[in-house]
Amino acid sequence: MASRRDTSLVVTKSTLSRLPLYYSHIRKMQQQGEEYVSAAAIAQSLNLNPVLVRKDLSGVSSVEGKPRTGFEIDTLINDLSDFLGYNKVDEAILVGVGSLGRLLLTNTEFASMGLDITVGFDKDPDLVGLQIGNKYILPMEKMEHYIKRTGVKIGIITVPAEQAQAVCDQMVECGILAIWNFAFTLLNVPDGILVKNENLPSSLAVLSHQLAKKLSSNT
Amino acid sequence: MASRRDTSLVVTKSTLSRLPLYYSHIRKMQQQGEEYVSAAAIAQSLNLNPVLVRKDLSGVSSVEGKPRTGFEIDTLINDLSDFLGYNKVDEAILVGVGSLGRLLLTNTEFASMGLDITVGFDKDPDLVGLQIGNKYILPMEKMEHYIKRTGVKIGIITVPAEQAQAVCDQMVECGILAIWNFAFTLLNVPDGILVKNENLPSSLAVLSHQLAKKLSSNT
DNA sequence: TAGATTGTTAATCGATTAACAATC
DNA sequence: TAGATTGTTAATCGATTAACAATC
């Protein structure tokens, strides 16, 4: 028999990507002293369809919302951060300490989202030994040992596109299970390895093409 | 009567986001001296469904592919860069010259993708007057005048989340039509204004939740 | 020719939205 | 009570995949 609320089946990828937005929005309301929030109100503030928000929340909240009042903010924040894993910390390694790598290493907000980038790797000997954002930079040769010793499961790739696949292969071989890829290339990984791509050229293409279409249709 | 190939109807957002990947992949092949490429081959290299690639290309290519040989690379590259607008340059302004803003200002690759970030704005007087990546940093007060004078249509927002909506409103009021938003908040914009969000917390949520599910299912 | 590859039509899949009964 | 809000079921929409005939 299924439990009252079998969230794992309900919550999709796109729901998941909206949850952090709900979280930060509700967080803000909490700080302003609000006690309750309705799905309808969230939907309006974030410019989303109310049904969508209700459905998303129903997959995540431990309690049902109350008609007329909505959800208790404290409870909802708890449920959201549980669900998003903000309460427990995942460790991650980062490879490629260029400007983007540095940006991620020094970003303090990941910590509050349950991600602790514990170390950076780079092949440049000038970087090795430095500390950036309180994280040590180690040479590539130490990566294998580090992953195996710590059992870290998340790898962040911030090397140039040409090197990304090689780094990825190495990571996978050492036991990394989830890869956050900032290099502009699609990675080939074995079945079961998770990859999330951040891809600025793709975003730009969508935006600028839409703009071009819009401008030409106004002619 | 519709033209032989009415691309505007065929090419969707998700197609559009794959095109830059095709482009850079085919570019690489061109540099290696290849002359022809098949949709099937692209699909295999990029780990995509062949039908998807065929469909994407059929919406973009000016000529039909030839059975057995595929597409002529030179022609395809031309069509892709035409379609993606890599040949003509869009100007953009950037607001918020923090570490991410600097990263974008100094990134030389946007130029080859048809995006020229001509100037940065920041409210910090210490930054104003500096040159970063050869782009001047101007005070916020000059933004309105700048947008109106140059007619720039794309605005990039790299300020903290709390300030993003205000910056967005200002941009829209001055005539910006497309916004690339790197702040972690959804923006409210009037109908017809395009927004593309880059959203690391959302990506992270998807990745780490998938990983958690994966790890627990292996138990 | 045989078969790899094409482009297209139909089927499937997944996510969003509409409709609606239940309830505080 | 009346009505705002809830959760769910069904309909719609959009994107991907399967099936297949055409062709170099």
Side-chain angles (χ1 to χ4, degrees):
Chain A
M1 194 193 293
S3 65
R4 192 184 82 74
R5 202 168 278 266
D6 191 347
T7 54
S8 61
L9 288 174
V10 177
V11 174
T12 66
K13 236 165 156 174
S14 38
T15 291
L16 216 32
S17 72
R18 282 185 295 268
L19 295 183
L21 288 159
Y22 300 165
Y23 178 84
S24 75
H25 181 68
I26 299 168
R27 208 59 218 276
K28 220 172 291 165
M29 294 186 68
Q30 187 188 41
Q31 276 152 20
Q32 286 163 7
E34 301 286 333
E35 286 186 42
Y36 288 89
V37 64
S38 71
I42 297 174
Q44 179 153 53
S45 309
L46 298 179
N47 245 350
L48 297 169
N49 185 305
V51 184
L52 200 60
V53 178
R54 267 183 271 156
K55 223 173 188 180
D56 287 346
L57 291 186
S58 82
V60 168
S61 172
S62 59
V63 296
E64 299 197 331
K66 280 187 202 148
R68 293 280 284 158
T69 50
F71 296 82
E72 197 189 7
I73 287 187
D74 289 353
T75 314
L76 196 50
I77 286 185
N78 248 332
D79 289 338
L80 277 168
S81 41
D82 269 358
F83 197 89
L84 289 167
Y86 287 0
N87 294 327
K88 68 166 193 33
V89 173
D90 279 330
E91 298 198 341
I93 61 167
L94 179 147
V95 176
V97 187
S99 47
L100 179 58
R102 268 164 236 239
L103 185 67
L104 298 178
L105 281 173
T106 52
N107 188 326
T108 54
E109 303 201 18
F110 289 130
S112 65
M113 301 187 297
L115 189 77
D116 182 12
I117 307 174
T118 52
V119 63
F121 293 93
D122 204 287
K123 63 178 186 184
D124 180 352
D126 291 348
L127 292 174
V128 168
L130 292 182
Q131 257 189 307
I132 293 175
N134 287 320
K135 321 294 170 63
Y136 279 106
I137 310 305
L138 305 180
M140 289 303 292
E141 298 76 42
K142 298 226 168 142
M143 189 175 83
E144 176 170 357
H145 180 68
Y146 186 95
I147 295 175
K148 290 183 174 164
R149 178 170 63 77
T150 59
V152 57
K153 295 288 173 256
I154 301 178
I156 302 174
I157 298 183
T158 45
V159 299
E162 311 81 64
Q163 296 155 40
Q165 184 63 56
V167 169
C168 169
D169 292 344
Q170 248 185 298
M171 283 181 168
V172 170
E173 206 174 321
C174 299
I176 290 287
L177 293 178
I179 293 175
W180 201 2
N181 176 36
F182 287 81
F184 178 49
T185 182
L186 288 182
L187 300 172
N188 285 303
V189 293
D191 270 7
I193 304 294
L194 303 166
V195 177
K196 179 80 191 143
N197 294 299
E198 295 303 322
N199 199 318
L200 293 191
S202 291
S203 299
L204 177 60
V206 173
L207 188 65
S208 74
H209 197 269
Q210 285 179 328
L211 177 61
K213 207 159 79 182
K214 186 180 161 62
L215 289 175
S216 73
S217 71
N218 288 350
T219 319
Chain B
M1 195 192 291
S3 65
R4 191 185 82 73
R5 203 167 277 267
D6 190 348
T7 53
S8 62
L9 290 174
V10 177
V11 175
T12 66
K13 234 163 157 176
S14 40
T15 292
L16 215 33
S17 72
R18 283 185 295 269
L19 295 183
L21 288 159
Y22 301 165
Y23 178 83
S24 76
H25 180 69
I26 299 168
R27 209 55 219 276
K28 220 173 289 165
M29 294 186 69
Q30 187 189 41
Q31 275 153 20
Q32 286 163 7
E34 302 287 335
E35 286 185 41
Y36 288 88
V37 64
S38 71
I42 297 174
Q44 179 153 53
S45 310
L46 298 180
N47 246 348
L48 296 170
N49 185 304
V51 184
L52 199 60
V53 178
R54 266 185 270 156
K55 223 173 187 182
D56 287 345
L57 291 185
S58 83
V60 168
S61 172
S62 60
V63 297
E64 299 197 330
K66 281 187 202 150
R68 291 281 283 159
T69 49
F71 295 82
E72 197 188 7
I73 287 187
D74 289 353
T75 313
L76 196 50
I77 286 184
N78 248 330
D79 290 338
L80 278 168
S81 41
D82 269 358
F83 198 89
L84 289 168
Y86 288 179
N87 294 327
K88 67 165 192 38
V89 173
D90 279 328
E91 300 199 340
I93 62 167
L94 179 147
V95 176
V97 188
S99 47
L100 178 58
R102 268 165 236 238
L103 186 68
L104 298 178
L105 281 173
T106 52
N107 188 326
T108 55
E109 305 202 17
F110 289 129
S112 66
M113 301 188 296
L115 189 77
D116 182 12
I117 308 176
T118 52
V119 65
F121 293 93
D122 204 287
K123 64 176 182 183
D124 180 353
D126 289 349
L127 293 173
V128 168
L130 292 181
Q131 256 189 307
I132 294 176
N134 286 321
K135 323 292 171 63
Y136 280 105
I137 310 305
L138 304 180
M140 289 304 291
E141 297 76 42
K142 297 225 170 145
M143 189 174 85
E144 176 169 357
H145 181 69
Y146 187 94
I147 295 174
K148 290 184 173 166
R149 179 169 64 77
T150 61
V152 57
K153 295 288 174 255
I154 300 178
I156 302 174
I157 297 181
T158 45
V159 298
E162 311 80 66
Q163 295 154 41
Q165 184 64 55
V167 169
C168 168
D169 292 344
Q170 246 186 302
M171 284 181 167
V172 169
E173 205 173 325
C174 299
I176 290 288
L177 293 178
I179 293 175
W180 201 2
N181 176 35
F182 288 81
F184 177 48
T185 182
L186 288 181
L187 299 172
N188 285 302
V189 292
D191 271 6
I193 304 294
L194 303 166
V195 177
K196 179 80 190 141
N197 294 298
E198 296 302 322
N199 201 318
L200 293 191
S202 292
S203 299
L204 177 60
V206 173
L207 188 66
S208 73
H209 196 268
Q210 285 179 329
L211 177 62
K213 206 159 80 181
K214 188 180 160 61
L215 289 175
S216 72
S217 72
N218 288 350
T219 318

